[in-house]
Amino acid sequence: MTATGGAAGNGGPAWLVVVDMQVIFARPGSAWCTPGFADATGVSTDCCVLSTALAAADAGVHARVVADACAGVSDADHRRALDTMALYRPFLEIVTADDVLAAGG
């Protein structure tokens, strides 16, 4: 993780934080580390969910994306993001909330 302080880098309050998700997913003490990270849901399927799920897959972490617990900017964008994540099987699995509940969580 890297922080840059102030507009001129003058050591003021950090205004930009860059997080290397591969480091986060790979850190054993992290709640995001395997097997702690299981289900991804979110408001922006085509932004936040997609970027988090792909970082998990890049780090070799299996994750389920709960499709009906996410929403995209539009239905078409939501579908495209899900289709993209489906290409990352077996690391990413696209499921429904009913699938998660039926499997016991």
Side-chain angles (χ1 to χ4, degrees), residues 3-97:
T4 301
N10 60 7
W15 57 269
L16 173 64
V17 177
V18 178
V19 178
D20 183 344
M21 292 307 287
Q22 290 185 351
V23 172
I24 298 298
F25 284 117
R27 184 170 293 139
S30 169
W32 297 96
C33 184
T34 300
F37 182 73
D39 300 321
T41 63
V43 173
S44 188
T45 315
D46 46 326
C47 182
C48 301
V49 175
L50 178 65
S51 62
T52 302
L54 295 184
D58 285 346
V61 175
H62 174 266
R64 296 182 297 186
V65 176
V66 187
D68 55 351
C70 301
V73 172
S74 68
D75 288 342
D77 289 338
H78 173 73
R79 180 78 258 153
R80 278 192 292 271
L82 293 174
D83 291 344
T84 298
M85 289 182 279
L87 297 171
Y88 286 80
R89 289 186 181 114
F91 292 112
L92 299 181
E93 180 182 0
I94 310 300
V95 299
T96 66

